[in-house]
Amino acid sequence: MSRHRAQQLAAEFLARADAQGWFEALYAEAGNDYAAVPWADLTPNLNLVEWSIAQGLKGAGKTALVIGCGYGDDAEFLAELGFEVVAFDVSTTAIAQCNQRFPNSPVSYQVADLLNPPATWSQGFDFVLESYTLQVLPSALRALAISKISRLIASLGQLLVIARGREETDPPGQMPYPLTQKELDTFEKLGLSNQSFEDYLDNESPPVRRFRALYTVASTD
């Protein structure tokens, strides 16, 4: 039911030419009923956790940015790895809930718009996590969002993207829209280097096809 409600709100706001307003509407409607938000597991994303263990990811002395942080579990996980974390969401209610859930957190939770991020964030982060945000944006906004994301990564920094995946020939489906590899290839066209690309079925029941891609930014020296 929560996914159906999210799809309903997304369609209503898109019809008003407001492609992002539904995020705040969904979180505000949910209040403290976290289960009403379909992507809110209240635990770090297992696709991030498994990858970080395999990579031996360490954050000491490094900055990280979490895009569309929701209720903050991925941000808290990265902070535990030692990163100095900034996490943002376009929903003011989501950010308020993060501060309520983690009152003593070292994470800096902020309200911000991916399509118009603060200028001070440009090339500002050693590690950027984009998990499930692109896939809930309509196709008309995804290219812009990818462009904005590509500018947030510091010299020699990393970008990890986790998303539902599909073939070019598959129907686009409903929100959350599975992405194509061609869409993610846009990061390379914008100057990032692809270090790995995984196409796999996750451990959900039933399994969901995922893409997990790592990009790096060359030194600007």
Side-chain angles (χ1 to χ4, degrees):
M1 179 60 73
S2 61
R3 176 161 295 170
H4 174 74
R5 180 56 178 156
Q7 291 170 340
Q8 183 182 50
L9 285 170
E12 289 175 3
F13 276 83
L14 189 59
R16 305 177 203 168
D18 180 1
Q20 297 189 89
W22 69 274
F23 292 109
E24 171 58 19
L26 178 66
Y27 282 105
E29 187 176 286
N32 290 323
D33 180 12
Y34 301 129
V37 177
W39 51 82
D41 296 325
L42 303 188
T43 58
N45 186 331
L46 187 59
N47 299 284
L48 166 65
V49 174
E50 292 177 341
W51 179 87
S52 68
I53 293 172
Q55 297 292 317
L57 185 65
K58 301 295 183 183
K62 298 180 180 179
T63 57
L65 180 70
V66 178
I67 295 169
C69 66
Y71 289 132
D73 295 281
D74 290 346
E76 296 297 318
F77 175 74
L78 291 177
E80 290 175 2
L81 293 181
F83 285 99
E84 180 182 339
V85 182
V86 173
F88 76 94
D89 203 286
V90 73
S91 166
T92 57
T93 298
I95 295 301
Q97 290 285 2
C98 289
N99 289 317
Q100 177 179 301
R101 291 185 68 211
F102 307 107
N104 300 312
S105 174
V107 176
S108 174
Y109 289 107
Q110 302 183 29
V111 177
D113 181 359
L114 173 59
L115 303 182
N116 186 28
T120 54
W121 289 0
S122 179
Q123 300 180 343
F125 299 93
D126 300 307
F127 183 81
V128 175
L129 174 65
E130 159 35 30
S131 176
Y132 302 169
T133 303
L134 289 172
Q135 68 183 32
V136 295
L137 295 176
S139 59
L141 291 181
R142 270 179 237 146
L144 175 59
I146 287 171
S147 176
K148 297 294 185 179
I149 292 170
S150 71
R151 300 173 191 173
L152 300 171
I153 310 148
S155 174
L156 301 179
Q158 296 179 310
L159 165 68
L160 181 66
V161 179
I162 302 171
R164 289 172 175 253
R166 68 175 176 90
E167 296 296 324
E168 290 284 337
T169 53
D170 291 341
Q174 292 182 298
M175 192 283 297
Y177 310 101
L179 307 186
T180 66
Q181 186 170 356
K182 183 177 180 181
E183 287 180 293
L184 295 185
D185 286 347
T186 305
F187 283 113
E188 294 180 75
K189 295 178 181 178
L190 293 169
L192 278 66
S193 175
N194 178 241
Q195 300 299 302
S196 64
F197 186 90
E198 300 169 81
D199 180 349
Y200 63 101
L201 293 177
D202 68 13
N203 294 320
E204 293 188 15
S205 182
V208 175
R209 185 182 182 184
R210 303 283 183 191
F211 291 157
R212 183 167 53 198
L214 179 68
Y215 302 91
T216 58
V217 174
S219 172
T220 56
D221 295 340

